[in-house]
Amino acid sequence: MSSEAKIEARANGQAANEAKIPRTERGRKTLRKLLDASAIEFGEKGFHEASVSSITRRAGVALGSFYTYFDSKDALFRALVADMSATVKSSARAALSEDMNALEIERAALAAFLDFAREHKEIYRIIDEAEFVDPQSYRTHYKTIGERIQARLKSAGESGEFRADLGEIEAWAIMGMNVFVGLRYAVWGDNDTGQNHSSQDIAHVVNRLLSEGVMRK
């Protein structure tokens, strides 16, 4: 099993552990409704003000049915963080193609994340709150993303596209850059600048920073 496959298997296992995975299509749809409703509820109110009854009303699910899928609001929150992490990954992966070089992969992955964050601004509040509600989920979210980037750097180093000595520190530096670029332009928006930066434009600028650095040549 490749390093990336191991990362995904661990992440998927963590997500599954928080929810009682249904066996029927109807049950899977109900679970999806609860996760989607909780994203809105936690995003609007925060963890402590959100309630199970309000989440089930948003989802159109009977209150008693909630416990068929989750043991508590805490378990739902952990499952939501894991679900959001998986959705970010799948959004980025869908934007990639086999003919892309290493720099194109980083650009496409960032552009896909920015598009996702524009549509789901609540992800920042939920992930940030996880640092205090469930620190392990918070750490796992970022560690998993960091490992994915590190795996891409390693692969590009082995192919000769990137330096061969890139590792965890560089991966976390790239992740930090992507996270705050997303906060500034996908969540806060461009209203105070009078400009309209597309996800592709932003990813291109960040990509140039990766390829050219900041030193004058």
Side-chain angles (χ1 to χ4, degrees):
M1 180 181 290
S2 68
S3 59
E4 184 175 359
K6 290 178 181 178
I7 293 167
E8 302 310 333
R10 187 172 70 250
N12 291 336
Q14 289 159 347
N17 287 340
E18 302 304 339
K20 302 169 187 176
I21 302 302
R23 297 182 179 180
T24 66
E25 181 63 23
R26 180 180 179 183
R28 287 189 287 272
K29 288 181 178 179
T30 300
L31 175 59
R32 184 72 261 162
K33 289 179 181 179
L34 287 169
L35 288 168
D36 291 344
S38 70
I40 299 172
E41 180 80 2
F42 289 133
E44 290 181 356
K45 299 180 180 179
F47 176 81
H48 295 291
E49 295 299 320
S51 67
V52 170
S53 60
S54 182
I55 290 169
T56 54
R57 282 197 300 271
R58 287 181 186 270
V61 174
L63 178 60
S65 298
F66 173 87
Y67 296 99
T68 302
Y69 302 92
F70 299 100
D71 290 329
S72 63
K73 183 174 74 169
D74 298 69
L76 171 58
F77 185 84
R78 289 191 295 270
L80 177 62
V81 173
D83 181 70
M84 285 186 155
S85 293
T87 304
V88 169
K89 178 264 297 181
S90 61
S91 297
R93 179 166 291 174
L96 307 183
S97 61
E98 292 183 359
D99 61 342
M100 288 180 173
N101 63 37
L103 275 173
E104 289 171 339
I105 287 173
E106 295 306 315
R107 185 179 64 209
L110 174 55
F113 168 69
L114 294 173
D115 285 338
F116 177 83
R118 289 182 197 272
E119 293 295 323
H120 303 278
K121 293 181 173 62
E122 69 275 6
I123 187 174
Y124 273 84
R125 176 171 185 174
I126 291 168
I127 297 300
D128 285 350
E129 196 167 24
E131 181 180 8
F132 307 99
V133 175
D134 190 71
Q136 186 58 49
S137 292
Y138 179 80
R139 290 170 65 92
T140 298
H141 171 74
Y142 284 115
K143 284 180 68 177
T144 301
I145 295 174
E147 288 171 353
R148 290 185 192 127
I149 296 174
Q150 186 175 351
R152 295 201 300 264
L153 295 181
K154 179 181 179 182
S155 177
E158 291 172 347
S159 70
E161 294 182 80
F162 286 175
R163 288 181 6 224
D165 60 346
L166 302 179
E168 183 181 62
I169 295 175
E170 289 85 357
W172 279 74
I174 292 171
M175 176 173 62
M177 182 166 54
N178 292 350
V179 166
F180 278 93
V181 166
L183 177 63
R184 171 62 183 86
Y185 293 101
V187 178
W188 293 357
D190 291 320
N191 293 335
D192 59 341
T193 66
Q195 297 177 306
N196 184 22
H197 296 87
S198 72
S199 297
Q200 291 293 337
D201 290 341
I202 295 166
H204 173 74
V205 173
V206 174
N207 210 235
R208 188 177 65 185
L209 183 61
L210 291 179
S211 62
E212 299 179 10
V214 297
M215 294 293 293
R216 183 175 181 179
K217 296 180 180 179

